[in-house]
Amino acid sequence: MGFQFVLLPTDLLVFTLIVCAVFFVIQARKHAPSREAWRRVGRQPAAMASAVVLSIFAVIGFVDSLHYRAQLPPVQGEHAGAQETAPVYSSEVLSILDALLTPLRIQTEKTYSAPFARESFQRETVEQADGSQIRTTPRLVYGARHLQEGESSLPDIVRRLAWTPLQALAVAGVFLCVLAVGVARRQGIGKVAAMRHILAGRVELAWRSALAIAFLAALLLAAGVALAPHYHMLGTDKVGQDVLYLSLKSIRTGLVIGTLTTLIMLPFAVALGIAAGYLGGWVDDAIQYLYTVLNSIPSVLLIAASVLMIQVMIDTHPQWFDTAAQRADARLLALCAILGMTSWTGLCRLLRGETLKLRELDYVQAARAFGASTVQILRRHILPNVMHIVLISVALDFSNLVLAEAVLSYINIGVDPATVSFGSMINAARAELAREPVIWWSLAAAFGFMLTLVLAANLLADAVRDAFDPRRQVG
């Protein structure tokens, strides 16, 4: 069966961001001070562990950004086969991640079920063979359906998990071999000796921490592969969808909000901040007036009003979108643009203050005296010397933007209802906290995944700040 590749607007921006990241890495490797700063980041175990975690999240987000529409089977009718017709594709837009998680996506129950449960969480009226009716919790359609009546699930889970530690060790061993090749080539030693140095922590970068996180991630992956097709590992939600599947789908939304918003915000912040600090005069006054006015408006109200306007425009023009996924993606892109347009003021103010200091330094004054143009001075002398502030701000703002999406979705002004996100999961689960017994797993899953993403981003941002901020350097 064929398929049709679908390129959503956010997919295009994600691919653009990847190209920019590769270009940044190439440029950083050519610049000696940048190489040394990133080495200082890599020497911190928490930073290396966080980088591995964020890399895993990034891979999941990238795989979820490869979209397609599956080809529908031909209709068997009276004139079928008489002539070839153009292929017809499904209106449902899926991703490669959806294809990989097909068992979790299609195995939908009727309603709530607890993690690893074999019966529904809610009681229902079930008719017996003799015509009588009883109130009981019926068996799940997919969860633990391979077990016989009365058979315990614990021995089956233990049996399926028996080989996962060895599988995780194999993955970690491959990662260790790859690292050993690089270390051996760099230090001019044997590969076995390089492995010993990595495991003992006697290398320049904290590869031992990265290796430990890689082993833990491989262990979780092996456990998921072994159990997810047979059990709902994190339970199901109100409409019976697998919570693990929803949590993995929410990763792309969080990454898109955190990265694309920054991509939209940076040009405004950098250009206006440097222009205000270097040019001064009426340019400085106008830019200060602009971000002061924006800061005086409550950000939640401004974002809510903008999102509602965009939503009304999308609802009144359904002909703009061929599929529901394109409509949801348009609202996600609009949310990124709105957050970007309202969050550039802080970085702009920082860059203005730093540029005010830089323009008075000797090398800038000398360049001006030798007749260098304003554009040359800004490009060669000002911009490279404020990039550490830009990098630090980007790293610190990422986690704030991920949390902002959760808050906005919690108050129903975030992403489209068709888009899965941590905020929408929390919003859907909040009403169930008042039940008795409490339905806790949807909220716990969203909170756990979001905490992992935000904590890793914060730890890496702290390491980047310590490495790139000149005021934190100790001699």
Side-chain angles (χ1 to χ4, degrees), residues 272 284-298 302 344-346 348-349 352:
L272 295 180
D284 188 18
D285 294 338
I287 295 175
Q288 284 192 75
Y289 180 79
L290 177 61
Y291 67 61
T292 302
V293 170
L294 285 177
N295 285 335
S296 65
I297 304 174
L302 182 59
W344 60 270
T345 56
C348 179
R349 183 177 293 173
R352 173 186 174 274

Side-chain angles (χ1 to χ4, degrees), residues 42-50 52-53 175 179 198-199 201 203 205-216:
R43 294 187 189 111
Q44 301 187 35
M48 289 296 288
S50 300
V52 174
V53 172
F175 186 35
L179 293 178
I198 293 173
L199 295 176
V203 289
L205 304 181
W207 287 119
R208 185 167 59 176
S209 300
L211 189 63
I213 295 299
F215 170 76
L216 181 59

Side-chain angles (χ1 to χ4, degrees), residues 206-450:
W207 287 119
R208 185 167 59 176
S209 300
L211 189 63
I213 295 299
F215 170 76
L216 181 59
L219 185 63
L220 293 176
L221 176 62
V225 171
L227 297 178
H230 308 284
Y231 296 93
H232 297 293
M233 297 177 61
L234 299 180
T236 57
D237 64 357
K238 187 175 183 178
V239 295
Q241 290 183 295
D242 191 275
V243 173
L244 177 59
Y245 170 73
L246 297 177
S247 301
L248 293 174
K249 290 288 291 182
S250 300
I251 292 175
R252 178 183 182 271
T253 306
L255 293 176
V256 166
I257 293 289
T259 55
L260 296 189
T261 301
T262 303
L263 191 65
I264 295 171
M265 172 264 293
L266 275 183
F268 293 96
V270 174
L272 295 180
I274 293 178
Y278 184 79
L279 299 177
W282 67 269
V283 176
D284 188 18
D285 294 338
I287 295 175
Q288 284 192 75
Y289 180 79
L290 177 61
Y291 67 61
T292 302
V293 170
L294 285 177
N295 285 335
S296 65
I297 304 174
S299 58
V300 174
L301 295 180
L302 182 59
I303 294 171
S306 303
V307 169
L308 292 176
M309 291 172 59
I310 294 295
Q311 182 177 348
V312 170
M313 184 178 65
I314 291 175
D315 292 340
T316 53
H317 297 84
Q319 70 276 8
W320 290 355
F321 313 103
D322 296 331
T323 62
Q326 292 176 341
R327 175 183 175 196
D329 192 73
R331 180 165 171 177
L332 176 60
L333 182 60
L335 180 61
C336 292
I338 293 168
L339 288 175
M341 294 295 291
T342 56
S343 61
W344 60 270
T345 56
L347 179 57
C348 179
R349 183 177 293 173
L350 289 175
L351 293 178
R352 173 186 174 274
E354 186 70 13
T355 306
L356 285 173
K357 180 182 70 175
L358 291 175
R359 74 175 186 178
E360 304 299 331
L361 297 182
D362 293 339
Y363 63 90
V364 177
Q365 296 292 337
R368 187 183 301 168
F370 279 107
S373 65
T374 300
V375 175
Q376 289 177 326
I377 294 176
L378 293 177
R379 182 171 59 87
R380 296 182 179 180
H381 301 294
I382 302 296
L383 183 59
N385 287 285
V386 299
M387 285 307 296
H388 68 281
I389 296 179
V390 175
L391 184 60
I392 294 169
S393 298
V394 168
L396 291 175
D397 288 345
F398 173 83
S399 56
N400 293 331
L401 292 169
V402 174
L403 294 175
E405 182 278 324
V407 173
L408 294 174
S409 297
Y410 181 76
I411 57 179
N412 290 322
I413 58 171
V415 297
D416 190 87
T419 302
V420 186
S421 70
F422 296 124
S424 61
M425 290 180 64
I426 294 173
N427 183 35
R430 61 174 176 170
E432 308 305 331
L433 296 179
R435 296 172 60 105
E436 181 58 37
V438 175
I439 298 176
W440 51 269
W441 47 86
S442 294
L443 182 63
F447 177 78
F449 275 83
M450 187 170 61

Side-chain angles (χ1 to χ4, degrees), residues 151-227:
E151 183 181 358
S152 175
S153 59
L154 183 58
D156 180 69
I157 294 174
V158 172
R159 178 179 60 82
R160 294 181 183 278
L161 292 178
W163 293 99
T164 54
L166 292 179
Q167 295 169 349
L169 281 175
V171 174
V174 172
F175 186 35
L176 177 61
C177 292
V178 173
L179 293 178
V181 171
V183 172
R185 184 179 303 173
R186 184 178 182 83
Q187 297 185 357
I189 59 178
K191 296 181 178 61
V192 177
M195 290 184 184
R196 294 198 190 100
H197 288 181
I198 293 173
L199 295 176
R202 296 196 301 268
V203 289
E204 182 181 13
L205 304 181
W207 287 119
R208 185 167 59 176
S209 300
L211 189 63
I213 295 299
F215 170 76
L216 181 59
L219 185 63
L220 293 176
L221 176 62
V225 171
L227 297 178

Side-chain angles (χ1 to χ4, degrees), residues 24-40 43 186 204 467-468:
F24 174 79
V25 171
I26 294 174
Q27 294 300 315
R29 288 176 62 88
K30 295 179 180 178
H31 194 230
S34 295
R35 287 201 308 270
E36 180 57 32
W38 283 111
R39 287 195 187 99
R40 287 195 293 269
R43 294 187 189 111
R186 184 178 182 83
E204 182 181 13
F468 281 85

